[in-house]
Amino acid sequence: MMKLYTYFRSSAAYRVRIALNLKQLDYEAVPVHLVRNGGEQRQTDYLALNPAGLVPTLIDDGNVLQQSLAIIEYLDEVHPQPALLPGSPAERARIRAIAQAIACDIHPVNNLRVLRYLVHELGVNDAQKNAWYRHWIAIGLSAVESMLAADPRTGLFCHGDTPTLADCCLVPQVFNAQRFDCDLSAMPTVMGIVERCAALDAFQRAAPGQQPDAE
Amino acid sequence: MMKLYTYFRSSAAYRVRIALNLKQLDYEAVPVHLVRNGGEQRQTDYLALNPAGLVPTLIDDGNVLQQSLAIIEYLDEVHPQPALLPGSPAERARIRAIAQAIACDIHPVNNLRVLRYLVHELGVNDAQKNAWYRHWIAIGLSAVESMLAADPRTGLFCHGDTPTLADCCLVPQVFNAQRFDCDLSAMPTVMGIVERCAALDAFQRAAPGQQPDAE
């Protein structure tokens, strides 16, 4: 069985959990606590699997796989149905572009280790930290809203009427935004899609609160 | 002919220029100056092509494509030779993981707009800004060095003996690191690969200094 090194609140791990569920693939969840014990992701055993010390890591058939988007692409190549990157090269590029607008342009700047650096190295206060967080969410998700609202290929989900890689990224990002009380009122397309995802079992079971390591 | 909206110093655009050259694809370069005129990437005409206001954008056959990694995947699907994502699903996952360790974990945190926020909103001084830059380079490239040094699939290049998507990402990131005087002495595998890339015409012609908009 596949083994997923995960942390309930990590949005990168959350993306992979959604993809595994959409493909109805069973896996063993191995919790890596990012806060406790000085950060279990920095322990030697884990670093051997994931030199960056980040979650998730997926072990499948002896292959050690890192990076959430790379893992989901792998799952889609090995288990093609349901397709998380359907369509022509241009359509697949659109799905990837939406995913990367989240995974490259929003999430890394608001990652736990970046927020910690702001506080501990730059002496930023709580209000400044929250303003930082909301700034990158507002800019980043507005761009995603425009990409979605302006394009007839958007359907019930980010691309067409079935969930894709883009939805696997969007839902965890909006979860984070809500956790930090970001104003999402100007993002009706995004929020409509997130609502439709939330109605699906695959997304529900992947949610942070449903994980064995949830606090 | 394809049209690439590019800025000579943007490492995301640099990645795509390398990929286009490796595949020997002709393109028209349309410069988007990220500093002049208040940032040409924020002008209405450009935002219609790229709602995030980021470079690069590629126009091919009526398709408007955003996000450097999505663009390179598209090029690889439409023009499969030479393959920038060769091999089995697990090998392709490894190439993507190296690329994303750079494109998700290093580059976004040191992007121009993030540095500007540090200076203008958080009042960070020059020394602190440079320390921030070097911190994320050191952490991120060390992880890449470990991924490369520990894996027998690393060859003359990041994966095997021909350039892949991973090399398209690595070379621009090291270029940036050198521009900010980062210490790269602990990264012999990375630097050996970068040296071999630098000997190739496709990488040379993609370099910032060789672009029509270079300053």
Side-chain angles (χ1 to χ4, degrees), chain A residues 67 70 77 92 100 104-105 108, chain B residues 67 70 77 92 104-105 108:
Chain A
Q67 292 287 341
E77 293 183 3
R92 290 158 59 83
Q100 290 164 19
C104 300
D105 295 342
Chain B
Q67 292 287 343
E77 293 182 4
R92 290 160 57 85
C104 299
D105 295 342

Side-chain angles (χ1 to χ4, degrees), chain A residues 51-54 63-71 73-74 77-78 88-90 92-94 96-98 100-106 108-109 111 113-114 117-118 121-122 124 128 131-133 135-136 139-140 142-144 146-147 153, chain B residues 51-54 63-71 73-74 77-78 88-90 92-94 96-98 100-106 108-109 111 113-114 117-118 121-122 124 128 131-133 135-136 139-140 142-144 146-147 153:
Chain A
L54 296 169
N63 297 308
V64 181
L65 308 167
Q66 299 106 1
Q67 292 287 341
S68 60
L69 300 193
I71 291 171
E73 296 255 5
Y74 167 87
E77 293 183 3
V78 177
S88 67
R92 290 158 59 83
R94 177 179 182 248
R96 289 187 176 112
I98 298 166
Q100 290 164 19
I102 296 164
C104 300
D105 295 342
I106 306 177
V109 188
N111 210 350
R113 60 186 191 176
V114 172
Y117 190 101
L118 288 173
E121 304 297 325
L122 296 176
V124 153
Q128 288 173 313
W132 166 283
Y133 200 100
H135 175 76
W136 301 113
I139 286 192
S142 299
V144 172
S146 301
M147 290 171 86
R153 293 172 293 184
Chain B
L54 296 169
N63 297 308
V64 181
L65 308 166
Q66 300 106 1
Q67 292 287 343
S68 60
L69 300 192
I71 292 170
E73 296 255 6
Y74 168 88
E77 293 182 4
V78 177
S88 67
R92 290 160 57 85
R94 178 179 182 248
R96 289 187 177 113
I98 298 166
Q100 290 163 20
I102 295 164
C104 299
D105 295 342
I106 305 175
V109 189
N111 210 351
R113 60 185 190 174
V114 173
Y117 190 101
L118 288 173
E121 304 296 326
L122 296 176
V124 153
Q128 288 173 311
W132 166 283
Y133 200 100
H135 175 76
W136 300 114
I139 286 192
S142 299
V144 172
S146 300
M147 289 171 86
R153 293 172 293 184

Side-chain angles (χ1 to χ4, degrees), chain B residues 40-51:
Chain B
E40 294 176 354
Q41 76 281 14
R42 283 191 284 268
Q43 293 176 354
T44 315
D45 288 1
Y46 187 69
L47 287 176
L49 300 175
N50 191 311

